[in-house]
Amino acid sequence: MKRTIEIGLLQSKSGNYAAISCASRAGVLQGVDEVNADAGLDVHFQIVERDPEGKADRYAPLCRDILQNSQARHIFGCVTSASRKEVIPELERFDGVLWYPVPYEGFEASERVAYMHACPNQHLLPLLEWALPNLGKRAYFVGSNYIWGWELARIAREHITYAGGSVLGDRYLAIGNTALDHIIHDIEALKPDFILNSLVGDSSYAFLEMLTALKTESQSGNALTVLSCNFTECEIAAAKGAASGLIAAGPWFEPAKAQGGSFLEMSRQSVHELANLLHGRAGAEKLSLSELLLTSMRNGYQPKLDPTNLHAAQPVVIARLEGNHFTEIRRLPALRADPYLTHYTPRPLGNSFLKVVS
């Protein structure tokens, strides 16, 4: 007989990055339906949902509400690193766990977060290793004005510089800001070999549209290639065709028709992972995440998360968006997450190498 376990869902149905959060939400709902229908699992998940509406100041109080006013100890949610950092104090205060399904900038290992997507040694650095010998070493950065954009630019700048490259520009916009004329003019004048785009949501879609117009006007063809560690299939429609040619890195791309991409898939996998960890273990949902993982391993289950840093090992896929579908151009086997880049080993870049920063 299945036992009912409440879980939290904290994803936005609206706001500047709704395409991402709605895909992540859909993955949780799909995962819950699959778990509840699986006769081989003795858990039945019941969702306690709150909608932050894409507003950063709503995440913490809604997380607190779930943890205080329900039996849910595990919450699936958050898109931006800003929202994740908002809820961590509430998770610490009320013994909760956040299952985080999107890529992030690394340099964090909270005992209250299950990092199910990729960190920089699993997305940004392999993407740069491919880009520098194939596209050139003159880069331009544009990103959202918070920790995701800042940290990706910092890490990328260090590695591009050590590889003998240069960063021609580094610009930031508030999430939702679409005033991009100055950035487009800058790119037009500087003509970088590639652009690392770490914008989020509406800002990113507007940037891609304006860059496409620039490329058309200047007849630059395949120049001004855009790289991204956070653009997936769920945003193709929102970009209105302007993302074609973008090269992305991530752990998973849709094998057929474009749908929710890795945000949906990692959310779905997160639900299944929790179900497997709790199966046959009444009351285990009250354990800390580390205890849950370690005791599961002693019982013979091999979790996706590393119990030492609570990150998942992930394969690295580099893919180019062609029309409405990503085409794989490089794949690396599953890499252990290295959130602080303490064990990162660079791969050769033609006649040069990236230098490890200790």
Side-chain angles (χ1 to χ4, degrees):
M1 178 179 292
K2 285 178 174 278
R3 67 188 195 279
T4 297
I5 298 172
E6 290 187 331
I7 59 172
L9 177 54
L10 190 63
Q11 291 288 11
S12 299
K13 299 178 186 178
S14 59
N16 290 309
Y17 45 85
I20 301 172
S21 55
C22 286
S24 301
R25 178 178 181 272
V28 173
L29 297 179
Q30 181 180 336
V32 168
D33 286 345
E34 292 167 350
V35 165
N36 291 349
D38 188 344
L41 292 169
D42 69 352
V43 297
H44 179 280
F45 287 141
Q46 182 172 306
I47 294 174
V48 179
E49 183 172 11
R50 301 291 184 269
D51 180 4
E53 300 176 328
K55 300 173 182 176
D57 61 355
R58 288 177 56 82
Y59 281 88
L62 291 179
C63 176
R64 186 187 318 128
D65 181 34
I66 292 173
L67 294 171
Q68 281 190 308
N69 297 310
S70 77
Q71 296 300 309
R73 299 274 70 85
H74 292 265
I75 297 176
F76 296 79
C78 296
V79 165
T80 65
S81 288
S83 62
R84 186 187 70 253
K85 289 183 178 295
E86 283 288 317
V87 305
I88 288 175
E90 304 301 327
L91 299 167
E92 293 171 342
R93 189 174 294 117
F94 298 106
D95 295 326
V97 173
L98 175 71
W99 290 78
Y100 189 63
V102 297
Y104 90 112
E105 66 284 341
F107 294 88
E108 181 181 292
S110 170
E111 63 181 358
R112 297 295 177 177
V113 181
Y115 303 87
M116 285 292 288
H117 207 287
C119 62
N121 78 298
Q122 299 164 311
H123 55 64
L124 175 62
L125 298 182
L127 182 58
L128 292 175
E129 289 173 355
W130 177 88
L132 292 169
N134 286 285
L135 300 177
K137 296 183 177 181
R138 300 168 67 254
Y140 190 98
F141 301 159
V142 57
S144 290
N145 193 23
Y146 75 113
I147 190 169
W148 163 256
W150 305 333
E151 282 295 285
L152 256 65
R154 180 186 65 80
I155 297 167
R157 180 183 293 275
E158 289 180 355
H159 285 76
I160 290 169
T161 301
Y162 281 115
S166 58
V167 178
L168 306 182
D170 190 353
R171 302 289 183 267
Y172 301 94
L173 289 174
I175 292 179
N177 188 341
T178 57
L180 289 147
D181 286 345
H182 63 298
I183 294 175
I184 296 298
H185 291 323
D186 209 19
I187 290 170
E188 182 180 19
L190 294 170
K191 296 179 174 58
D193 295 321
F194 64 86
I195 300 158
L196 177 63
N197 173 21
S198 302
L199 293 165
V200 174
D202 291 345
S203 301
S204 181
Y205 315 144
F207 172 71
L208 292 170
E209 288 189 59
M210 295 177 72
L211 188 66
T212 296
L214 171 63
K215 291 165 71 173
T216 301
E217 293 168 5
S218 62
Q219 299 181 335
S220 56
N222 292 324
L224 303 178
T225 300
V226 176
L227 306 184
S228 176
C229 297
N230 63 312
F231 190 96
T232 76
E233 290 88 344
C234 70
E235 299 182 278
I236 293 173
K240 300 176 182 177
S244 186
L246 177 146
I247 296 173
W252 191 89
F253 289 91
E254 294 281 355
K257 184 179 179 181
Q259 296 179 5
S262 63
F263 300 152
L264 185 152
E265 180 62 16
M266 295 305 118
S267 296
R268 187 188 74 84
Q269 289 186 21
S270 297
V271 174
H272 279 272
E273 180 70 355
L274 179 60
N276 287 322
L277 289 168
L278 299 180
H279 172 65
R281 305 176 63 201
E285 62 273 16
K286 298 178 182 178
L287 296 175
S288 70
L289 184 55
S290 294
E291 290 175 315
L292 184 58
L293 295 172
L294 291 171
T295 54
S296 295
M297 292 173 69
R298 287 197 288 268
N299 291 334
Y301 178 72
Q302 185 58 47
K304 293 183 181 295
L305 295 166
D306 185 328
T308 61
N309 62 25
L310 308 180
H311 289 63
Q314 292 289 6
V316 178
V317 182
I318 298 172
R320 179 184 286 109
L321 181 60
E322 299 175 350
N324 289 319
H325 186 260
F326 277 99
T327 299
E328 183 177 316
I329 56 179
R330 189 181 187 193
R331 175 181 288 268
L332 299 173
L335 295 178
R336 181 179 182 268
D338 183 15
Y340 291 93
L341 299 180
T342 54
H343 304 290
Y344 175 65
T345 302
R347 295 174 181 82
L349 301 174
N351 294 324
S352 62
F353 294 81
L354 289 179
K355 181 178 179 181
V356 178
V357 179
S358 59

